[in-house]
Amino acid sequence: MSTEIKAYGASDKAADLEPMTIKRREVGPKDVKIEITYCGVCHSDIHQVRNDWKNSVYPVVPGHEIIGHVVAVGENVKKFKEGQLVGVGCMVDSCRECSSCKDDLEQYCENGMVPTYNGKDKHLGGHTFGGYSEMVVVDQDFVLTIPENLDQKAVAPLLCAGITTFSPLNHWGVKEGDKVGIIGLGGLGHMGIKFANAMGAHVVMITTSPDKAKDAKRLGAHEVLISKDEEAMKEHTGSFDFLLNTVPVGHDINPYINLLKRDATMVLVGAIEPLDAVHGGGLVMGRKRVAGSLIGGIAETQEMLDFCGEHNIVSDVEMINMDNINEAYDRVTSSDVKYRFVIDMNSLKN
Amino acid sequence: MSTEIKAYGASDKAADLEPMTIKRREVGPKDVKIEITYCGVCHSDIHQVRNDWKNSVYPVVPGHEIIGHVVAVGENVKKFKEGQLVGVGCMVDSCRECSSCKDDLEQYCENGMVPTYNGKDKHLGGHTFGGYSEMVVVDQDFVLTIPENLDQKAVAPLLCAGITTFSPLNHWGVKEGDKVGIIGLGGLGHMGIKFANAMGAHVVMITTSPDKAKDAKRLGAHEVLISKDEEAMKEHTGSFDFLLNTVPVGHDINPYINLLKRDATMVLVGAIEPLDAVHGGGLVMGRKRVAGSLIGGIAETQEMLDFCGEHNIVSDVEMINMDNINEAYDRVTSSDVKYRFVIDMNSLKN
């Protein structure tokens, strides 16, 4: 049993996104049916649409920064009720049985979590479809509560860009007084600045572009370090307690390793591709660490949203209508957005 | 004031090691004078003699795995007495004031620790000379107590190869039941196996050479994983709690990252040069960590020696006379030693 609904997607990797019809399952006993009001545009939407990671299944209906209202709930759903404002992020299911799932880290599910789009659909067969659509039906365990005091349009990007940057800052214990560097000022980096600032850190925006300095300070950075300025980089050598590297492509991380204090960690969240050659000596001298981090588990995503409610943190967004999506993709690709596009999903209905 | 003593060193990077005379300082109030009985041959001795790291100062008198007897102590020395068996490792001094020194991590001294050879000699000027010599005078804070139950010849390599492998296993908390991989079976790797086994881990020797399997098991490995065997590598994917990578040259670490469990760490201790390109996705998927580690602090080196005394751990050594050193270097370079050469320093006197 399923319902046909309106969506927007790409039929192959060369295609622009265009209107299409997809199926959603009926509401099961543990399901929440959500009418989507807003959906953020993540860089990985573009990678998937263009098959950059060689795992896309067409048609691709992207979107994993979903905000909406509950319109129906299954008979066993206790946590949510009709009318409530909720969110859905990058996952809609996982095995629930492996050690990662039991540790509330469904994003590392050893049997493979189910991505919100382009994942394997256990209910209808085929693959999952994302938030560039009217409506979605999701298991209650993968639905998040949105603090009512926040602007819901600007909350959407928290479901991916937010948790991707909050989780490593939280997991590696960034605290008041730490000197924290956020490398790269885009959709991820701008959230990293806001979170690190709210956690009480001394926040340094590290960027190649001097023209980003003013905006970085508006977002909460206390200092800006231009990574091309060798003298400035030398002054900051060995001084950082933590580095969050949001650069979305392979690059040379050695100059950033030099910035770490002894025993400090740089976490990569953007570059899921080969990096330039790392010099082993840079890690050995100072017992430094490079790690990776992938979004966050459902419990930590809720913790992040509650933290945002408490500290009044949202994303800086630019609103678009559904039919502006192809132009928006071009602008994301050329880093021409401050800092996240959000689609007004009402525009799909017309 | 200084004394002339016999030593063995290289006068330039193209030269063989040969007999030479060097100066040692007189015994100061806090100094310990040690008559050297045995000195281990470390691969980094060869790197320094050949100026591979571009920081050698000639003549180079190598040797930082020093065992000997105390023959005199300064008036303020309380910890050591004449006749006592002692050791000296890779460092003979540090600033004592920086945060690393205060944390008992002199190897990361922010003002630069003084290496046992090829370091800056604060007392006589010029540079320090190592253990390929009759005698050495060292500040008591950098002298170690050797458990009397151990074979002193085979203790020498503990001062570098021992602490280099013990420290990361200890620092990252390897414990009973952990699945630990030791990558590379040489001077470092063979100590890694012994320590990980003594800590109660399930030890897997990971090597490119099937012919090393038998010896790895003799040393304490429970399993051997041949890294060129793709099927075997696949079976071990995501299963290791900790990896100690002792490979002494740049190499491809991506297949080893795949072996780590979620949140697990691989520590590099050998490759202080550029590695092949690391794939960011390998770290991101599973929140994995790659770190470095350099020898160990003096307190931890003593802890390691005491651990060896308790568990009856020494290095597997092949004894040589001082005038065999050039041949020994060639054999180390071609990995033809099980597993560490130790020089009988009595052979220098004749």
Side-chain angles (χ1 to χ4, degrees), chain B residues 11-301:
Chain B
S11 53
D12 69 62
K13 74 174 187 177
D16 275 351
L17 274 70
E18 56 184 8
M20 53 177 62
T21 301
I22 57 168
K23 286 179 181 171
R24 292 289 188 201
R25 70 177 186 264
E26 296 302 319
V27 178
K30 290 179 59 208
D31 285 340
V32 178
K33 182 176 177 176
I34 303 161
E35 191 179 83
I36 302 172
T37 50
Y38 299 104
C39 186
V41 176
C42 176
H43 207 134
S44 57
D45 295 353
I46 303 173
H47 286 303
Q48 293 275 10
V49 160
R50 297 179 182 173
N51 198 25
D52 290 337
W53 296 331
K54 313 290 177 205
N55 63 354
S56 300
V57 197
Y58 293 92
V60 174
V61 174
H64 57 208
E65 298 181 340
I66 300 171
I67 296 290
H69 292 281
V70 176
V71 290
V73 296
E75 60 197 60
N76 296 338
V77 173
K78 301 284 176 253
K79 292 195 281 184
F80 300 99
K81 59 177 193 290
E82 272 184 54
Q84 190 176 342
L85 187 66
V86 294
V88 177
C90 302
M91 305 179 280
V92 290
D93 209 346
S94 71
C95 85
R96 331 278 182 112
E97 288 171 356
C98 71
S99 70
S100 291
C101 285
K102 286 184 175 162
D103 287 350
D104 291 331
L105 295 165
E106 303 85 359
Q107 74 273 35
Y108 304 120
C109 173
E110 284 141 42
N111 298 303
M113 56 90 159
V114 181
T116 301
Y117 62 89
N118 245 314
K120 194 173 173 183
D121 188 332
K122 295 179 192 171
H123 302 272
L124 297 181
H127 60 279
T128 54
F129 297 113
Y132 296 7
S133 58
E134 289 180 283
M135 180 269 280
V136 65
V137 177
V138 178
D139 186 293
Q140 65 174 341
D141 294 339
F142 288 79
V143 177
L144 297 141
T145 302
I146 307 298
E148 296 284 343
N149 62 315
L150 299 177
D151 175 3
Q152 57 170 297
K153 295 188 296 292
V155 168
L158 300 179
L159 278 314
C160 172
I163 185 61
T164 297
T165 49
F166 178 87
S167 179
L169 292 164
N170 190 39
H171 179 68
W172 271 271
V174 165
K175 60 186 187 308
E176 201 170 330
D178 281 353
K179 181 172 174 181
V180 171
I182 309 292
I183 305 168
L185 180 50
L188 295 174
H190 98 289
M191 290 309 307
I193 292 176
K194 294 184 185 206
F195 287 130
N197 180 298
M199 290 171 180
H202 177 81
V203 183
V204 182
M205 177 70 229
I206 304 173
T207 172
T208 52
S209 316
D211 57 350
K212 289 187 176 173
K214 195 176 163 189
D215 217 34
K217 289 193 172 172
R218 178 186 61 80
L219 292 163
H222 302 97
E223 275 186 78
V224 175
L225 171 56
I226 306 303
S227 55
K228 287 176 181 165
D229 179 344
E230 286 186 21
E231 207 49 50
M233 289 290 277
K234 202 178 282 178
E235 276 170 33
H236 285 268
T237 294
S239 70
F240 282 87
D241 293 288
F242 188 78
L243 289 172
L244 180 64
N245 185 329
T246 73
V247 179
V249 293
H251 61 288
D252 181 5
I253 63 171
N254 293 297
Y256 305 125
I257 292 173
N258 287 343
L259 295 177
L260 293 169
K261 276 187 186 169
R262 164 173 59 82
D263 286 322
T265 302
M266 170 163 63
V267 174
L268 306 170
V269 293
I272 49 175
E273 52 184 66
L275 304 162
D276 296 359
V278 172
H279 196 294
L283 295 170
V284 167
M285 305 303 165
R287 200 161 59 179
K288 297 173 181 180
R289 308 163 184 219
V290 174
S293 180
L294 178 69
I295 48 176
I298 295 297
E300 196 181 36
T301 305

Side-chain angles (χ1 to χ4, degrees), chain A residues 19 32-33 43 86 105 117 124 135 163-164 168 172 180 187 229 270 324 334 337:
Chain A
V32 178
K33 180 176 178 176
H43 207 134
V86 295
L105 295 165
Y117 63 88
L124 297 182
M135 180 269 280
I163 186 60
T164 297
W172 272 270
V180 171
D229 179 345
N324 302 134
S334 56
V337 54

Side-chain angles (χ1 to χ4, degrees), chain B residues 314-345:
Chain B
V314 289
S315 181
D316 283 27
V317 301
E318 178 176 338
M319 300 304 299
I320 58 168
N321 285 336
M322 191 68 254
D323 57 6
N324 302 133
I325 190 68
N326 295 300
E327 186 196 337
Y329 275 19
D330 291 340
R331 286 184 53 200
V332 170
T333 308
S334 55
S335 300
D336 176 24
V337 55
K338 285 181 180 172
Y339 281 91
R340 207 71 159 180
F341 286 115
V342 171
I343 310 163
D344 181 345
M345 294 310 301

Side-chain angles (χ1 to χ4, degrees), chain A residues 236-289:
Chain A
H236 286 268
T237 295
S239 69
F240 282 85
D241 293 288
F242 188 79
L243 289 172
L244 179 65
N245 185 328
T246 73
V247 178
V249 292
H251 61 289
D252 181 6
I253 64 170
N254 293 296
Y256 304 125
I257 292 172
N258 286 343
L259 296 177
L260 292 169
K261 276 187 188 169
R262 164 173 59 83
D263 287 321
T265 303
M266 170 161 65
V267 173
L268 306 170
V269 292
I272 47 175
E273 52 183 65
L275 303 162
D276 295 0
V278 171
H279 196 297
L283 296 171
V284 167
M285 306 301 165
R287 201 162 58 180
K288 297 173 180 180
R289 306 163 187 220

